[in-house]
Amino acid sequence: MISKKKIGLIILEFVTALLFVAFIFPFYMVIINSAKTAFEITQYPLSLPERFGNLFTNIVKIWKNEAVRYPASFLASVIITTVSLLLINLFSAQAAWVLARTKTKVSSFIFFIFVAAMVIPFQIVMFPLLSWFRTITNITGIPLLRTYLGIIFSYIGFGAPLSIFLFHGFIKSIPLELEEAALIDGCKKHEIFFKIVFPILKPIQATVLVLNGIWIWNDFLLPLLVLGKGNTIQTIPLAVSNFAGAFVKQWDLILTAILMAMIPIIIFFLFAQKYIVKGMIAGSIK
Amino acid sequence: MATVELRNIYKYYENTDKPAVSNANFIVHDKEFVVLVGPSGCGKSTTLRMIAGLESISKGELLIDNQIVNDIAPKDRNIAMVFQNYALYPHMSVYENMAFGLKIRKLPKDEIDKRVREAARILDIEQYLERKPKALSGGQRQRVAVGRAIVRHPKVFLFDEPLSNLDAKLRVQMRAEIIALHRRLEATMVYVTHDQVEAMTMGDRIVVMKDGFIQQIGSPIELYDHPVNKFVAGFIGSPPMNFIDTAIKVDGKKVLAVCDGFELELAGDIATKVKPFAGKCLTLGIRPEDLHDDTNNDKNSQVVMADVNIIEPLGAETYVHFTAGSAKFMGKFRSSTTAKPGETKRPVRFDLTKLHFFDCSAEGELAL
């Protein structure tokens, strides 16, 4: 007789295996189809490629494609993601620190606004955002559309609410006495932040960097709106979209480009993933 | 080193009418070890934090080394503080923790190194200098926290319940180490604790606080022998003083303290002091160690018959709980006592020279 507990365990393992297959399947499809010709992909999408060497041929094709400008797109993605992440991390940590340590109605209200911003869908604000950017550019002369400044500024805005929420929870668990000890040791306010608080936030910084990093690196809609098509500045998702025309979709190049785009963010994720869970727990449980 | 003087200091928090600290007045002399003691919420930590500059002073003046420091930032007061949870910087090694305050003050590297190694030697933590705080035990962390204070060579050391997080055995050890450190550094120290044993064993003088008010300031023995009110009498001393409601009766030349179940005939100074309260109610206080497990009656003591309720043997001594009428009291006897739970009419000798009297109010403000 198999006990009820064992049956439960078998079902659980089966469901886990199914989930694993469901999650790994897109990766499998991207990897095997990156090494195929367009004809092979449409005819035998699930089979293994005839020649894995095709992968390198596809990579070279993408790298050299004049219309797509992959190296420049890669560089733009790196610049936008890195700068956005650094600034989101820095500004959100500072804002969360002040909000967590200032116990007034105003600070509670500002924190509430940040939390509320997390639940507003991007689609609702995207057109007003463009309109505002245009107005600000007209008034100040600072170009926000089709520039690095505009897209990075947008990412800081959209990334800040969740980041502030995460930092806020973590900072509340840091004993205030640490900051008081630093104050007595002779630190000024900015020194307390940069020398004491910011280094202690390392686990939650990793969480913030990974969560925002994956989103910003893969984002298509915001760069499409802010940077636009045919711009000299374009991110990898925009570049990849150039392979998909109205009538022809170059699946071999699209999938290889996706594979090329995936690798850096997967490496980044693997490097920082151990901090994610740690950071999540650290924020809620002291 | 320096003096610390509190002049009529008040602390009001926002949205409260009742001050957290009321009219605090005392001087900590140069090289003195003063302990602020009291129950939770009595204002002792708030007072210490005002001295540190971590809390603003609502009213009054604070002087360190005869200079008013009300508006001077904590970093410029030349004080060092040891916190209850040690407040060690978790991302820095022990060495970096101790050196941090000196680096911020831009001291030369070799001077920092010299001071850190000297403090580490004094506190016996030289072998842990490269470790992070999380790799240290509670006692070692506590030493690092003290070391971080020592290296600064401050005018005043402030301790905010630094031994509360340690287990009982380590607490006793660290208590002795802090006393030794005080003697060695000859420093002015202000120490906050809720533990009266710590206060009695460590302080040159003790400041007893309750509900934001200073109740009494004095040496440990002064507080023990001459408490100014019922609160101080009950707070200082372990086990605490017995309190028994009594009525004062004058019968000819005799002055009697009439309790429910027994009478004590008072003599000497105490009788003279209590006599004017004839016909009135007072609270009689006697410490458990002033009750004796024998019948050696003399003019300074009196035997009372009481029932034994509970026995608490502690090894070196035994606490015996008695009832006489409605009065309940406890005696601290030798472990060789023959008292047994349930025993009736057992003689207990009261030392009449050690009696204390307070008025019958809850506060027992008037002490005789």
Side-chain angles (χ1 to χ4, degrees):
Chain A
M1 275 292 283
I2 305 172
S3 67
K4 271 186 180 175
K5 199 178 166 187
K6 202 160 188 183
I7 293 172
L9 208 67
I10 291 168
I11 294 171
L12 204 68
E13 281 179 2
F14 183 70
V15 172
T16 312
L18 272 181
L19 281 173
F20 171 75
V21 171
F23 275 94
I24 208 75
F25 189 69
F27 285 97
Y28 171 76
M29 291 294 284
V30 168
I31 291 165
I32 60 160
N33 288 316
S34 302
K36 290 178 188 173
T37 60
F39 175 75
E40 263 185 284
I41 292 170
T42 47
Q43 292 301 305
Y44 318 107
L46 292 174
S47 67
L48 288 172
E50 277 181 15
R51 271 188 336 111
F52 271 99
N54 267 342
L55 178 63
F56 300 102
T57 319
N58 286 345
I59 290 173
V60 172
K61 262 194 218 169
I62 291 164
W63 200 261
K64 288 186 173 170
N65 192 311
E66 291 287 325
V68 173
R69 293 179 292 109
Y70 197 89
S73 307
F74 187 85
L75 184 67
S77 269
V78 168
I79 291 170
I80 291 167
T81 308
T82 311
V83 177
S84 301
L85 285 182
L86 289 177
L87 296 180
I88 287 173
N89 193 35
L90 182 66
F91 293 156
S92 301
Q94 287 177 330
W97 181 52
V98 174
L99 290 174
R101 293 303 190 213
T102 315
K103 288 182 178 71
T104 63
K105 281 180 184 165
V106 176
S107 68
S108 303
F109 178 73
I110 294 171
F111 181 63
F112 173 76
I113 296 285
F114 275 118
V115 174
M118 279 166 34
V119 295
I120 298 171
F122 171 69
Q123 286 76 4
I124 289 178
V125 293
M126 62 186 189
F127 289 117
L129 175 82
L130 292 184
S131 164
W132 272 75
F133 271 19
R134 212 163 286 133
T135 312
I136 290 169
T137 305
N138 289 341
I139 294 169
T140 63
I142 301 167
L144 291 174
L145 289 170
R146 299 178 78 83
T147 60
Y148 279 119
L149 186 68
I151 186 87
I152 289 168
F153 187 60
S154 308
Y155 277 130
I156 293 170
F158 287 112
L162 176 66
S163 311
I164 288 175
F165 180 71
L166 291 172
F167 279 128
H168 191 271
F170 193 92
I171 288 167
K172 277 200 293 185
S173 73
I174 300 173
L176 188 64
E177 285 89 342
L178 279 181
E179 295 167 35
E180 291 176 342
L183 196 66
I184 290 175
D185 268 343
C187 283
K188 295 185 182 80
K189 196 101 176 163
H190 67 276
E191 287 173 321
I192 294 175
F193 180 78
F194 285 108
K195 290 183 193 288
I196 306 296
V197 178
F198 202 56
I200 295 172
L201 296 177
K202 215 160 92 181
I204 199 75
Q205 283 187 48
T207 310
V208 165
L209 290 177
V210 168
L211 291 178
N212 286 307
I214 294 170
W215 158 62
I216 294 171
W217 184 264
N218 293 327
D219 192 26
F220 175 75
L221 194 50
L222 188 63
L224 180 69
L225 293 166
V226 177
L227 297 176
K229 279 267 185 186
N231 190 351
T232 48
I233 306 165
Q234 62 172 3
T235 59
I236 292 175
L238 287 181
V240 172
S241 73
N242 288 335
F243 289 120
F247 305 106
V248 182
K249 290 186 174 58
Q250 296 170 279
W251 282 113
D252 51 341
L253 300 183
I254 289 173
L255 292 169
T256 311
I258 288 172
L259 182 69
M260 287 162 69
M262 263 164 46
I263 289 166
I265 201 73
I266 286 176
I267 292 170
F268 177 54
F269 178 78
L270 290 176
F271 177 72
Q273 59 105 14
K274 69 172 178 179
Y275 290 108
I276 296 182
V277 178
K278 215 170 151 186
M280 288 288 193
I281 294 170
S284 53
I285 307 162
K286 197 176 169 184
Chain B
M1 289 300 157
T3 57
V4 177
E5 186 176 353
L6 285 82
R7 286 183 190 163
N8 310 319
I9 281 186
Y10 287 79
K11 174 67 190 178
Y12 290 91
Y13 285 107
E14 269 176 46
N15 306 325
T16 52
D17 297 332
K18 206 179 152 214
V21 175
S22 281
N23 199 22
N25 272 300
F26 63 89
I27 300 175
V28 183
H29 300 293
D30 188 26
K31 299 174 187 173
E32 194 179 25
F33 196 122
V34 166
V35 180
L36 305 183
V37 69
S40 295
C42 71
K44 56 189 188 297
S45 284
T46 307
T47 306
L48 190 82
R49 289 168 62 80
M50 284 193 285
I51 298 173
L54 298 172
E55 294 280 357
S56 61
I57 295 167
S58 308
K59 218 161 82 179
E61 283 177 344
L62 174 72
L63 292 89
I64 294 178
D65 223 5
N66 299 318
Q67 187 198 350
I68 295 174
V69 294
N70 287 38
D71 299 321
I72 291 179
K75 68 184 173 72
D76 301 322
R77 293 189 182 194
N78 205 352
I79 45 129
M81 187 158 168
V82 179
F83 292 86
Q84 183 176 357
N85 61 3
Y86 320 130
L88 299 178
Y89 310 125
H91 56 293
M92 295 182 196
S93 67
V94 168
Y95 185 97
E96 289 165 337
N97 260 285
M98 289 165 74
F100 183 71
L102 305 178
K103 269 188 197 166
I104 288 287
R105 284 159 208 273
K106 297 192 167 56
L107 260 73
K109 260 188 179 175
D110 48 347
E111 174 67 15
I112 294 174
D113 190 66
K114 200 179 114 196
R115 286 199 197 183
V116 170
R117 293 196 186 280
E118 170 68 9
R121 194 181 54 74
I122 293 171
L123 295 162
D124 196 20
I125 50 171
E126 284 164 298
Q127 63 273 43
Y128 309 123
L129 284 176
E130 299 312 315
R131 285 200 198 170
K132 290 270 170 69
K134 68 179 174 190
L136 301 175
S137 68
Q140 289 160 351
R141 283 180 205 186
Q142 214 274 338
R143 283 197 189 130
V144 177
V146 174
R148 192 170 63 180
I150 292 177
V151 293
R152 292 259 317 279
H153 296 175
K155 280 183 182 172
V156 183
F157 284 86
L158 306 175
F159 294 87
D160 189 5
E161 307 208 29
L163 306 184
S164 305
N165 288 0
L166 302 179
D167 62 57
K169 199 177 166 191
L170 198 55
R171 204 152 53 209
V172 174
Q173 187 192 329
M174 287 308 296
R175 206 162 71 195
E177 287 188 23
I178 292 177
I179 296 168
L181 190 73
H182 174 242
R183 291 212 182 113
R184 182 183 184 132
L185 299 177
E186 295 191 322
T188 307
M189 292 185 175
V190 185
Y191 188 103
V192 161
T193 180
H194 62 267
D195 182 348
Q196 62 88 28
V197 178
E198 256 173 50
M200 293 289 282
T201 50
M202 299 176 86
D204 295 327
R205 279 191 308 147
I206 299 173
V207 178
V208 184
M209 295 184 76
K210 185 194 169 207
D211 296 335
F213 290 91
I214 291 175
Q215 304 290 310
Q216 190 172 0
I217 303 172
S219 71
I221 296 304
E222 272 169 32
L223 263 56
Y224 181 83
D225 287 341
H226 306 290
V228 294
N229 58 32
K230 199 171 153 186
F231 173 78
V232 176
F235 195 82
I236 299 293
S238 177
M241 184 183 275
N242 296 299
F243 294 112
I244 303 163
D245 285 338
T246 183
I248 302 302
K249 196 172 141 190
V250 178
D251 187 4
K253 283 188 176 174
K254 286 184 185 173
V255 179
L256 300 168
V258 183
C259 307
D260 180 25
F262 63 94
E263 283 182 2
L264 295 174
E265 190 181 331
L266 309 177
D269 279 356
I270 288 181
T272 317
K273 280 181 190 168
V274 166
K275 206 171 176 183
F277 293 89
K280 288 184 182 160
C281 162
L282 289 178
T283 299
L284 179 154
I286 184 158
R287 294 198 180 278
E289 45 273 36
D290 297 326
L291 294 174
H292 301 283
D293 189 26
D294 57 51
T295 51
N296 303 335
N297 242 337
D298 58 37
K299 63 173 185 168
N300 287 328
S301 60
Q302 185 180 329
V303 172
V304 167
M305 305 308 275
D307 301 339
V308 179
N309 296 327
I310 303 165
I311 304 273
E312 293 181 88
L314 298 178
E317 65 220 3
T318 298
Y319 298 160
V320 183
H321 296 252
F322 293 99
T323 310
S326 65
K328 289 186 185 336
F329 49 89
M330 182 174 63
K332 186 173 160 185
F333 298 158
R334 284 184 188 169
S335 58
S336 57
T337 180
T338 55
K340 286 187 175 56
E343 194 181 341
T344 54
K345 297 202 171 156
R346 185 182 175 86
V348 185
R349 186 163 60 87
F350 279 59
D351 186 338
L352 299 178
T353 60
K354 300 289 174 65
L355 295 182
H356 300 263
F357 285 92
F358 309 95
D359 68 85
C360 269
S361 64
E363 288 78 25
E365 287 299 340
L366 176 72
L368 300 169

